[in-house]
Amino acid sequence: MNVTWQPSHPFIERPEQWPGAVLAVHQTLYRQVMAQDPLCNDKLPIELRACRILEQWQVMLLVTPWMLSRLLLPLSPPEITLPNGWSAEEREDADYRVLGPRLEFDLLGQRQSAHLNYHRRLGHYLLQPLILNMAEFDSVENVFEAWNRVIRTRDDNMEKMRRDCPWQKEVSRRELFRGLRGNS
């Protein structure tokens, strides 16, 4: 069975309206489902940042009492096959799942993975969890400071990898071994 992507509810006519809808949906999810979860950090509000369009996706960072995540809402149905059990009809009355099945897709020329999710007001969307343990944070600013440290560490490591030239390694390795075998 070929399951197709369900776009957002018709009341969300333009992508500019999606951030408000995402906030409203997650506030409702918090009140109805997640507030009882002992792992939720009630000090944290539900907040969006960095809303932008990338290729065919509306992308945003979402802070909730239960996670920091990147949401990707399709501007048009993507060519990603949905797994069985994830049609709009099958998910309509299903319990909320923080992380649905993992899917792979391309974005900005790179292979990405994210978890499929569905809500009747948002339609199908993708979620990339960034921080799942929110217990240590007492403000949204602390959440983003922690995430910025992760990004800085990643960027520093990527820069080190760029400087880590394979030719340089090979030359150094040969020089090292030449000393062990005598002068050649």
Side-chain angles (χ1 to χ4, degrees), residues 14-15 20 31 35 55 61 80 149 155 159 165 180:
R14 296 181 312 280
R31 283 192 312 274
E55 295 178 1
L61 293 177
I80 300 173
R149 283 192 302 274
D155 290 347
E159 183 61 29
C165 173
L180 294 175

Side-chain angles (χ1 to χ4, degrees), residues 27-66:
Q27 288 164 346
T28 300
L29 286 171
Y30 178 64
R31 283 192 312 274
Q32 293 178 353
V33 179
M34 299 303 293
Q36 294 9 288
D37 189 321
L39 297 178
C40 276
N41 181 345
D42 297 326
K43 296 177 201 168
L44 296 175
I46 296 171
E47 188 174 307
L48 286 174
R49 293 202 183 164
C51 298
R52 62 180 51 102
I53 304 268
L54 292 175
E55 295 178 1
Q56 68 172 14
W57 301 95
Q58 168 104 16
V59 180
M60 54 192 78
L61 293 177
L62 172 68
V63 176
T64 66
W66 62 96

Side-chain angles (χ1 to χ4, degrees), residues 133-160:
N133 182 355
M134 305 300 278
E136 69 183 76
F137 304 109
D138 54 7
S139 72
V140 171
E141 285 68 33
N142 292 142
V143 173
F144 282 106
E145 285 171 16
W147 182 242
N148 284 333
R149 283 192 302 274
V150 169
I151 290 172
R152 276 193 303 275
T153 300
R154 181 207 60 197
D155 290 347
D156 290 347
N157 288 335
M158 288 175 66
E159 183 61 29
K160 288 175 188 172

Side-chain angles (χ1 to χ4, degrees), residues 1-183:
M1 174 176 147
N2 185 10
V3 180
T4 59
W5 282 70
Q6 173 67 41
S8 64
H9 192 279
F11 85 92
I12 307 173
E13 296 174 358
R14 296 181 312 280
E16 304 84 52
Q17 295 173 312
W18 290 352
V22 166
L23 284 173
V25 162
H26 284 83
Q27 288 164 346
T28 300
L29 286 171
Y30 178 64
R31 283 192 312 274
Q32 293 178 353
V33 179
M34 299 303 293
Q36 294 9 288
D37 189 321
L39 297 178
C40 276
N41 181 345
D42 297 326
K43 296 177 201 168
L44 296 175
I46 296 171
E47 188 174 307
L48 286 174
R49 293 202 183 164
C51 298
R52 62 180 51 102
I53 304 268
L54 292 175
E55 295 178 1
Q56 68 172 14
W57 301 95
Q58 168 104 16
V59 180
M60 54 192 78
L61 293 177
L62 172 68
V63 176
T64 66
W66 62 96
M67 72 178 155
L68 168 65
S69 61
R70 181 178 296 117
L71 296 187
L72 299 100
L73 293 95
L75 298 173
S76 60
E79 294 188 21
I80 300 173
T81 303
L82 297 178
N84 289 332
W86 280 83
S87 70
E89 295 79 25
E90 292 168 306
R91 297 302 302 164
E92 185 71 27
D93 295 320
D95 291 339
Y96 171 68
R97 290 190 46 191
V98 174
L99 300 176
R102 192 174 67 82
L103 301 176
E104 292 194 352
F105 63 104
D106 292 317
L107 180 63
L108 300 175
Q110 293 185 332
R111 200 75 182 146
Q112 302 283 326
S113 72
H115 295 271
L116 177 64
N117 231 315
Y118 175 83
H119 189 278
R120 66 182 161 277
R121 289 183 68 193
L122 301 176
H124 287 103
Y125 61 96
L126 297 176
L127 182 143
Q128 292 176 318
L130 304 175
I131 301 175
L132 287 172
N133 182 355
M134 305 300 278
E136 69 183 76
F137 304 109
D138 54 7
S139 72
V140 171
E141 285 68 33
N142 292 142
V143 173
F144 282 106
E145 285 171 16
W147 182 242
N148 284 333
R149 283 192 302 274
V150 169
I151 290 172
R152 276 193 303 275
T153 300
R154 181 207 60 197
D155 290 347
D156 290 347
N157 288 335
M158 288 175 66
E159 183 61 29
K160 288 175 188 172
M161 293 298 289
R162 276 191 217 106
R163 286 185 289 197
D164 192 19
C165 173
W167 174 247
Q168 186 73 12
K169 275 186 182 176
E170 183 60 26
V171 170
S172 297
R173 190 175 302 129
R174 286 182 180 183
E175 291 169 356
L176 172 68
F177 289 123
R178 181 184 312 152
L180 294 175
R181 293 189 309 231
N183 292 337

